[in-house]
Amino acid sequence: MNKIINTQLLLYALSFLLLGCTHTTTVHVFGKYLPNEDLSKLQSALDEQGFEVEINSLDFPTSISQNTILHSLMLRDASAVESVKAIAIEHGFNIADIQGLKEGNHWYTKDAIAIYPFPQDSEHSPLLKQDLARRFKTANCDLSFDLKLSANGAYEISGSPVSDENKGLLNGTWHYVQYPYLELRPYKGISWSRYFEIHQVVKQDKVSQIEVIQLRPVEQHHITQACFYEYGVRM
């Protein structure tokens, strides 16, 4: 009887050890700014090394502006961070900062790593195109218009009454070729483009500070004249 019990205990112990050995570190890849091809290659490389990979398209913390790795302090495999770093570097993402988190997002309270990679061709850009895909509102004037910049490259202006001759300017495509200039191009048939200069400022109201993206017209706009467009997020 004791022999049977001992055998069962041994089997339980072996099962526990096997479960421990098969445990894998989860790597959260913040893929908002990566082209699909680059994201797929990075994911495949992490998969091949035995990591459990989870992709998301969440915004980066405003304090992160270069390739960064954040990790739990409770990693079962102490070499996991270096492995993730090596994979990132192999795929062109030179890691500028590695931090261990003691508190904060629950992702990092267990065996987890997060990687924040920026596109290789725009790692040092002050603002990426994806950051401009927002709905802006007029400011610094008496007019009331919205400017919607869609992720697919289309724009739409809506709001106050517009004369018939200017209605063709309300829709078109937007282009962000070089910081700090944004271009609006109406659809075919209209020879017209308007440029805005992009500014990032911090404002303060009675509640808190607000991070604001401003689009300031380089020249007077036919529709919104000299109005700024603004989009803000509370800090």
Side-chain angles (χ1 to χ4, degrees):
M1 182 70 176
N2 288 336
K3 185 175 181 181
I4 294 175
I5 293 175
N6 289 336
T7 301
Q8 289 176 334
L9 289 173
L10 179 61
L11 289 172
Y12 282 131
L14 287 173
S15 297
F16 179 80
L17 289 173
L18 287 173
L19 285 173
C21 292
T22 57
H23 178 86
T24 57
T25 300
T26 300
V27 178
H28 298 272
V29 179
F30 284 67
K32 177 177 180 178
Y33 298 125
L34 290 191
N36 289 336
E37 183 179 355
D38 291 350
L39 186 59
S40 179
K41 289 179 180 178
L42 181 58
Q43 181 178 7
S44 296
L46 291 167
D47 282 334
E48 289 174 3
Q49 291 299 313
F51 292 107
E52 181 177 336
V53 184
E54 294 191 11
I55 307 294
N56 68 69
S57 59
L58 299 176
D59 288 338
F60 286 25
T62 54
S63 59
I64 293 179
S65 59
Q66 51 193 344
N67 296 326
T68 299
I69 288 177
L70 303 182
H71 65 87
S72 164
L73 297 183
M74 301 173 64
L75 295 176
R76 297 191 186 189
D77 180 2
S79 66
V81 172
E82 286 301 318
S83 296
V84 172
K85 177 182 177 182
I87 292 170
I89 291 174
E90 183 181 348
H91 286 76
F93 304 105
N94 292 319
I95 301 301
D97 192 19
I98 297 177
Q99 298 181 32
L101 294 188
K102 297 180 181 179
E103 58 185 18
N105 196 302
H106 69 278
W107 285 350
Y108 313 118
T109 61
K110 296 184 179 180
D111 194 1
I113 296 172
I115 178 171
Y116 297 82
F118 285 83
Q120 298 174 40
D121 60 351
S122 57
E123 183 175 340
H124 302 294
S125 173
L127 199 64
L128 296 173
K129 183 175 181 180
Q130 291 89 331
D131 295 317
L132 294 173
R134 313 284 187 181
R135 182 181 292 275
F136 295 79
K137 294 183 177 296
T138 47
N140 203 45
C141 67
D142 295 328
L143 299 177
S144 179
F145 284 94
D146 286 0
L147 169 61
K148 181 182 178 181
L149 303 180
S150 299
N152 64 4
Y155 83 79
E156 178 184 3
I157 297 175
S158 59
S160 300
V162 176
S163 64
D164 290 340
E165 64 183 77
N166 284 331
K167 286 184 178 178
L169 309 178
L170 298 178
N171 301 91
T173 59
W174 64 279
H175 303 267
Y176 178 46
V177 178
Q178 183 177 1
Y179 187 86
Y181 297 106
L182 171 78
E183 179 187 3
L184 299 185
R185 300 178 193 168
Y187 287 126
K188 292 181 179 179
I190 299 178
S191 177
W192 177 92
S193 284
R194 281 297 178 270
Y195 293 88
F196 293 84
E197 188 172 1
I198 301 165
H199 291 261
Q200 295 173 268
V201 299
V202 176
K203 293 187 173 184
Q204 176 76 52
D205 64 10
K206 294 181 179 179
V207 179
S208 67
Q209 290 186 321
I210 306 171
E211 289 184 334
V212 177
I213 300 175
Q214 285 184 343
L215 306 179
R216 302 178 185 177
V218 174
E219 56 184 328
Q220 185 166 303
H221 192 293
H222 287 183
I223 301 172
T224 54
Q225 300 176 22
C227 297
F228 291 2
Y229 281 107
E230 291 187 345
Y231 170 83
V233 176
R234 291 196 178 277
M235 300 174 65

